[in-house]
Amino acid sequence: MSKTVGDILIGVLDDLGEADLKKFRRKLCDRKQEPKVRRGIVEKADPVDLVDILTRTFTEDGAVNVAIEVLGAINCQDVAEELTEFKKSQGSCVTSGDAMASATGPKMNKDKHFVDHHRTALIDRVSQVEPLLDRLQGSGIITPNTYSEVRANRTNQKKMRELFDGPLKACGSKGKDIFLDILMELEPFLIRDLKGE
């Protein structure tokens, strides 16, 4: 059975040793880019927990990129190169999921989730934003806090943009599958149009 992204990342972090692992945790929290990782979450995390935090926060593809960046910053170039080689050998992770199986059409890029591929069109064209937010909160993709922050935006486009830049960036392919399922229910004609049907 081939190794998953999680397996590789756990192996890499396991090999670091306690001092480098501590530096890794600190540098991870010091990153300026969003989404940020809070120190309290990673302070006592072992390699398995750290990988779980990385993949939940950045998705699998993003977790590898962030790990490479942080490893480079703490002068663990050999390990960073090992991860870079793994990434090249894998190519980009292709999303698998029920929604994805039905979401591939002539306009679909196979290396990206349907939701990411059609980001601009979804931001511009989704009109049922309030019901979408209700269902995203109900399914746990967004928190009540995020729900309020997104709703506070004046236009549907700003609401959708904030959704994409925050929760959807962090929720990974499973979360995007749920998002797409909800959109297919609320905006069936839009999704069919984007799929080229």
Side-chain angles (χ1 to χ4, degrees):
M1 192 167 147
S2 62
K3 287 191 171 186
T4 66
V5 170
D7 296 334
I8 296 295
L9 286 171
I10 290 168
V12 163
L13 294 178
D14 258 340
D15 291 344
L16 281 185
E18 197 50 51
D20 283 335
L21 194 58
K22 191 173 182 179
K23 286 184 200 170
F24 184 92
R25 289 190 205 103
R26 187 177 59 79
K27 275 289 181 204
L28 178 62
C29 296
D30 290 346
R31 289 178 77 252
K32 300 284 185 247
Q33 301 92 325
E34 292 288 342
K36 295 189 179 188
V37 178
R38 289 182 309 176
R39 199 169 304 282
I41 296 174
V42 297
E43 212 164 54
K44 293 188 173 136
D46 64 15
V48 174
D49 293 334
L50 259 178
V51 169
D52 187 42
I53 291 162
L54 283 167
T55 53
R56 271 187 298 144
T57 307
F58 304 104
T59 74
E60 282 194 349
D61 271 350
V64 173
N65 293 335
V66 169
I68 291 168
E69 173 195 325
V70 174
L71 288 165
I74 63 169
N75 296 319
C76 291
Q77 298 305 110
D78 294 348
V79 190
E81 283 172 26
E82 185 186 322
L83 264 183
T84 305
E85 288 306 310
F86 168 76
K87 190 177 162 198
K88 283 181 190 166
S89 73
Q90 295 297 300
S92 186
C93 292
V94 179
T95 300
S96 60
D98 300 335
M100 196 58 196
S102 63
T104 53
K107 297 179 186 174
M108 182 63 199
N109 176 342
K110 300 244 185 274
D111 292 341
K112 275 186 174 178
H113 195 284
F114 180 90
V115 167
D116 296 322
H117 184 72
H118 293 291
R119 179 183 196 272
T120 306
L122 291 171
I123 288 171
D124 288 341
R125 295 174 61 190
V126 169
S127 60
Q128 302 281 325
V129 179
E130 304 295 325
L132 173 63
L133 290 173
D134 292 338
R135 290 178 188 178
L136 287 173
Q137 184 181 353
S139 60
I141 302 293
I142 61 174
T143 63
N145 225 10
T146 305
Y147 176 89
S148 300
E149 286 170 14
V150 173
R151 276 201 71 209
N153 287 291
R154 290 185 177 195
T155 65
N156 282 344
Q157 286 79 13
K158 285 184 179 172
K159 290 173 186 173
M160 289 298 291
R161 195 168 287 111
E162 188 162 333
L163 260 182
F164 269 95
D165 291 343
L168 284 179
K169 191 185 272 188
C171 71
S173 60
K174 293 271 190 268
K176 288 175 184 171
D177 287 346
I178 293 167
F179 176 75
L180 182 56
D181 287 341
I182 294 168
L183 276 179
M184 286 197 284
E185 203 178 302
L186 294 173
E187 306 263 3
F189 296 106
L190 168 59
I191 300 303
R192 276 194 222 135
D193 182 47
L194 293 177
K195 285 163 62 177
E197 290 177 359

